[in-house]
């Protein structure tokens, strides 16, 4: 089974979630006896999802939207995404109690599920406009991603994929 984990990331936080998902999926499927090859790519580097049996696709959220390269991938590959199991995730909220606004991805009929992970803010890597936006939102530097939450989501994907292979 070939699995693609593709992420769109501006400052690296979402890419790191993708890297952990890739590693957790490899381990989880191996533990379940499923022969799987997991590829982790930036959305800019994905030619087509056609060659994969399952896809995990995620993007950072900026001003309420996914990054363009993730949106473009969906527009371009929708025909193939509709035809295989797909899990979507977003990385965004950067304040502890923040309830992320539901993106359009939460309700697309062709995805098994959409998951919202927390994000990370490190003002030292933001450009001037981004720093201004963060100041206006009173967002503090912090990492609101959760390793256990990522592992647990990967685990649920492994369970789903394993059930498909033994059916
Ligand atoms: C300028 C700016 C705008 C942002 N807008 C949103 C937003 O609308 N909703 C949200 O949940 N998070 C928002 N965030 C938080 C980012 O999604 C979060 O920092 C994410 O982890 C960034 O991922 P990346 O490092 O992969 O680019 C914003 C961050 C910045 C710097």
């Amino acid at each position: 089974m070939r699995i693609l984990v593709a992420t769109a990331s501006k400052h690296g936080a979402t890419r790191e979630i993708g890297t952990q998902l890739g590693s957790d999926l490899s381990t989880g499927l191996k533990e379940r006896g499923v022969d799987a090859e997991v590829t982790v790519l930036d959305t800019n580097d994905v030619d087509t999802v056609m060659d994969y049996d399952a896809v995990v696709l995620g993007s950072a959220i900026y001003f309420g939207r996914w990054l363009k390269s993730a949106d473009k991938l969906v527009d371009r590959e929708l025909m193939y995404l509709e035809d295989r199991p797909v899990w979507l995730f977003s990385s965004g909220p950067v304040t502890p109690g923040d309830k992320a606004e539901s993106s359009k991805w939460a309700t697309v009929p062709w995805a098994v599920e959409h998951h919202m992970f927390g994000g990370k803010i490190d003002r030292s890597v933001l450009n001037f406009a981004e720093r201004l936006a963060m100041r206006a939102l009173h967002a503090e530097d912090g990492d609101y991603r959760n390793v256990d939450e990522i592992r647990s989501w990967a685990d649920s994907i492994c369970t789903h994929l394993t059930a498909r292979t033994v059916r």
Side-chain angles (χ1 to χ4, degrees):
M1 178 190 293
R2 297 193 67 199
I3 300 160
L4 172 68
V5 179
T7 57
S9 174
K10 204 168 172 187
H11 293 299
T14 313
R15 185 173 305 119
E16 287 173 357
I17 293 176
T19 303
Q20 190 197 323
L21 282 171
S23 158
D24 290 346
L25 287 171
S26 290
T27 308
L29 289 168
K30 197 171 175 191
E31 282 169 3
R32 289 166 171 83
V34 178
D35 187 17
E37 183 188 325
V38 182
T39 304
V40 180
L41 290 176
D42 189 291
T43 42
N44 284 311
D45 298 326
V46 178
D47 289 331
T48 178
V49 302
M50 196 171 68
D51 302 329
Y52 298 93
D53 302 300
V55 177
V56 179
L57 171 62
S59 174
I61 306 178
Y62 283 84
F63 303 110
R65 304 180 65 109
W66 268 17
L67 290 170
K68 271 205 185 87
S69 65
D71 273 346
K72 277 190 189 161
L73 177 62
V74 171
D75 288 345
R76 203 182 65 229
E77 298 286 297
L78 187 57
M79 191 172 78
Y80 302 117
L81 291 168
E82 284 175 333
D83 205 30
R84 52 199 22 80
V86 175
W87 284 263
L88 303 175
F89 71 92
S90 303
S91 157
V94 285
T95 47
D98 193 359
K99 285 258 177 283
E101 54 213 272
S102 60
S103 72
K104 64 176 178 176
W105 306 116
T107 52
V108 291
W110 44 268
V112 178
E113 192 191 339
H114 171 269
H115 193 92
M116 179 69 75
F117 291 108
K120 178 186 175 186
I121 286 293
D122 172 1
R123 246 171 291 209
S124 69
V125 302
L126 301 183
N127 65 33
F128 181 68
E130 290 174 336
R131 279 205 297 275
L132 276 186
M134 288 298 95
R135 192 187 300 169
L137 289 172
H138 304 290
E140 300 290 331
D141 276 8
D143 189 348
Y144 303 97
R145 299 167 301 169
N146 182 316
V147 170
D148 293 335
E149 183 188 358
I150 299 167
R151 184 166 302 132
S152 158
W153 196 58
D155 198 59
S156 73
I157 294 174
C158 289
T159 302
H160 185 112
L161 290 174
T162 306
R164 284 176 71 94
T165 55
V166 297
R167 229 190 285 145

